[in-house]
Amino acid sequence: MTLSLYDTASREVRDFVPLRPGTVGVYLCGATVQGVPHIGHVRSGIAFDVLRRWLTHRGYDVLFIRNITDIDDKILRKADEAGRPWWEWATTHERAFTSAYDALNVLPPSAEPRATGYVTQMVEYMERLIDRGHAYVADGNVYFDVMSQPDYGSLSGHKLDDVHQGESAGTGKRDPRDFTLWKAAKPGEPSWPTPWGHGRPGWHLECSAMATSLLGPEFDIHCGGMDLVFPHHENEIAQSHAAGDGFARYWLHNGWVTMSGEKMSKSLGNVVSIPAMLTKVRPVELRYYLGSAHYRSMLEYSEGALHEAAAGFRRIESFVKRVAERVADVPVGDVNDDFAAALDDDLGVPAAMAAVHNAVREGNTALEAGDAQKALAVAASVRAMTSILGTDPLDEHWASSADSDDAATEALDVLIRAELDRRAAARAAKDWAAADEVRDRLAAAGVDVTDTPDGAQWALKTKD
């Protein structure tokens, strides 16, 4: 079968044909490192990790880029509120995201560019846009002229009369629908020199510069959450096409993780952090759960659904380990036809998981009937299929998440939470000395505490 993918731009499922035979370039909009990652943040990482693994399985050489937005209005505001340098705030939360991805067996990207490392390329990009008549300078800001790009709105379907960029205030815009490429420097904010004065980049410009610098002016697939379709990805397309770049040939967007029907976000306060989730289930079980729905569908979070998914994974794990114990070491075999057909059909993970569970039932029947060789062959196929889903029970990655380690982490969380509760009570009573004493005691024990809108979060300090 031919791999087919739903392309947001064309609004149809299209056969995937790479720009260059045998090679696939993928750009995934990564984290804006403003706070502790929650399960909504990492869903795109897991969904498109499956895409990457499947492309690799099909024989492609995959160049996978996942960026880091390390300069942004929210980062500056939250760092200022916490009384910490913006770069330290960003770096701290970048490490938290890396830890979350690693814990959930998301493969590291081929490259992970930071926005602040590509300012030179951004300046060059703006020069091209200004020279072509698609951007203009006003009061040290640089804006993109939306009306200059005929296909503006093609990705999202937005009509120009309905466009609201939702940006922080700037000066000198000719049209409120224009979006910001470069923000003039403000007192106390970080800035970089340009021909038009000091300032810092706009979010949309960052991704076009990073993507084309690493993947070329035209590449295969651009991924991200569906909340990025407008304005972020719409504006990426506009500025990239206006600069003369073909940019992405396929656009893939994953659905949200929701709670009570609402998108999981910090502003709603309905977040579930990765460290907290890993006190409820093992990392492999959380990965299995977050990857269980079709990437384009919403995933409604509940503890019941989480534990049901964990039980489903344990049935797979139990079968593979029983074969390893009773028959022989289980190698990684090959996927079955049903699994392959499911993933070739727009990454149909639910149908692919059904193929895995059907195989497990078949293997258990063979094992109980004494057909050891058939059970071994089925277990090898199950390993291959779950490896593509990132949940192979015998993957060495999960060895670092053994039950004893999980129990220790859970016990540690109980103890630290008790300390954090004491700190919260002291802060409520305005007993700042007692609150600082708790924090200092935890720091001396190697525990970092981060205050978030959702309460204090803890993590063990990373050793250099």
Side-chain angles (χ1 to χ4, degrees):
M1 290 184 64
T2 300
L3 172 62
S4 59
L5 299 168
Y6 182 84
D7 174 30
T8 305
S10 64
R11 296 168 181 76
E12 63 180 4
V13 176
R14 299 170 52 202
D15 287 348
F16 176 69
V17 180
L19 183 64
R20 292 174 290 277
T23 302
V24 180
V26 182
Y27 184 88
L28 170 61
C29 276
T32 298
V33 286
Q34 58 170 303
V36 177
H38 60 66
I39 58 176
H41 289 134
V42 300
R43 188 184 178 197
S44 66
I46 291 172
F48 298 119
D49 185 55
V50 173
L51 168 66
R52 179 187 185 180
R53 289 169 184 262
W54 185 237
L55 288 169
T56 301
H57 176 82
R58 288 178 59 89
Y60 292 108
D61 181 15
V62 182
L63 181 57
F64 192 94
I65 310 300
R66 185 183 69 215
N67 79 292
I68 293 170
T69 299
D70 61 343
I71 184 70
D72 171 85
D73 288 349
K74 293 178 181 177
I75 292 171
L76 297 179
R77 185 180 71 251
K78 292 187 176 183
D80 182 62
E81 290 171 353
R84 292 160 67 179
W86 68 271
W87 52 266
E88 187 266 348
W89 184 266
T91 303
T92 296
H93 294 102
E94 178 186 332
R95 288 198 300 267
F97 271 87
T98 298
S99 296
Y101 289 132
D102 288 347
L104 299 179
N105 199 22
V106 175
L107 296 173
S110 307
E112 195 167 26
R114 296 179 182 88
T116 54
Y118 284 76
V119 172
T120 298
Q121 291 87 338
M122 295 176 205
V123 171
E124 292 172 350
Y125 222 91
M126 287 186 286
E127 289 174 334
R128 290 162 61 191
L129 290 169
I130 291 170
D131 289 345
R132 286 169 166 257
H134 292 286
Y136 57 94
V137 181
D139 301 331
N141 302 294
V142 183
Y143 297 110
F144 184 88
D145 181 357
V146 167
M147 292 295 289
S148 73
Q149 189 60 25
D151 66 352
Y152 191 84
S154 61
L155 180 70
S156 63
H158 275 55
K159 296 180 180 179
L160 275 173
D161 289 344
D162 299 328
V163 167
H164 299 281
Q165 296 293 347
E167 296 182 338
S168 57
T171 59
K173 273 191 184 184
R174 297 174 184 169
D175 187 317
R177 296 169 295 187
D178 296 344
F179 62 86
T180 306
L181 299 169
W182 190 259
K183 301 182 179 185
K186 295 179 181 177
E189 289 189 352
S191 64
W192 289 260
T194 75
W196 318 287
H198 278 69
R200 59 184 174 88
W203 179 29
H204 316 303
L205 176 67
E206 294 173 349
C207 280
S208 285
M210 288 185 282
T212 55
S213 293
L214 293 170
L215 294 175
E218 186 175 14
F219 56 93
D220 295 295
I221 301 172
H222 195 309
C223 306
M226 64 183 298
D227 53 319
L228 301 181
V229 172
F230 186 88
H232 185 45
H233 289 167
E234 190 73 75
N235 291 347
E236 280 189 62
I237 290 175
Q239 66 199 7
S240 300
H241 287 182
D245 293 337
F247 211 54
R249 302 172 75 239
Y250 296 80
W251 288 84
L252 274 61
H253 292 94
N254 65 278
W256 300 326
V257 177
T258 59
M259 291 179 68
S260 303
E262 294 185 278
K263 175 185 175 241
M264 186 172 291
S265 67
K266 289 185 178 299
S267 62
L268 292 175
N270 58 357
V271 299
V272 182
S273 73
I274 299 300
M277 293 294 287
L278 294 181
T279 67
K280 304 177 189 291
V281 292
R282 294 179 296 163
V284 64
E285 294 166 345
L286 180 56
R287 162 87 191 220
Y288 180 89
Y289 168 65
L290 292 175
S292 61
H294 191 281
Y295 77 93
R296 287 195 285 121
S297 67
M298 301 299 180
L299 178 64
E300 174 70 11
Y301 171 76
S302 70
E303 285 213 15
L306 172 66
H307 289 293
E308 183 179 345
F313 170 77
R314 288 194 292 271
R315 288 192 290 272
I316 300 170
E317 180 182 46
S318 174
F319 163 66
V320 173
K321 289 188 173 181
R322 283 202 302 152
V323 172
E325 292 166 0
R326 295 187 188 184
V327 182
D329 289 342
V330 180
V332 177
D334 202 358
V335 305
N336 66 34
D337 291 344
D338 289 343
F339 182 92
L343 287 193
D344 275 341
D345 183 11
D346 193 29
L347 301 180
V349 166
M353 282 187 166
V356 173
H357 283 283
N358 288 339
V360 167
R361 283 191 287 271
E362 179 186 3
N364 276 325
T365 299
L367 194 60
E368 295 309 314
D371 190 344
Q373 291 311 304
K374 181 176 181 179
L376 183 61
V378 172
S381 179
V382 168
R383 281 203 68 190
M385 293 185 285
T386 51
S387 177
I388 289 163
L389 300 177
T391 55
D392 174 9
L394 300 184
D395 189 332
E396 291 183 0
H397 177 87
W398 306 120
S400 61
S401 304
D403 289 345
S404 59
D405 290 338
D406 293 337
T409 300
E410 189 168 351
L412 184 61
D413 183 72
V414 171
L415 295 173
I416 293 175
R417 286 291 163 196
E419 287 290 284
L420 293 177
D421 287 343
R422 278 192 283 273
R423 178 171 174 264
R427 286 161 63 96
K430 301 188 183 302
D431 187 351
W432 309 118
D436 289 343
E437 181 182 351
V438 172
R439 183 164 192 151
D440 292 344
R441 186 161 59 246
L442 291 172
V447 177
D448 273 328
V449 176
T450 303
D451 291 312
T452 78
D454 312 295
Q457 303 288 342
W458 69 269
L460 295 177
K461 291 181 181 178
T462 304
K463 292 183 179 180
D464 295 329

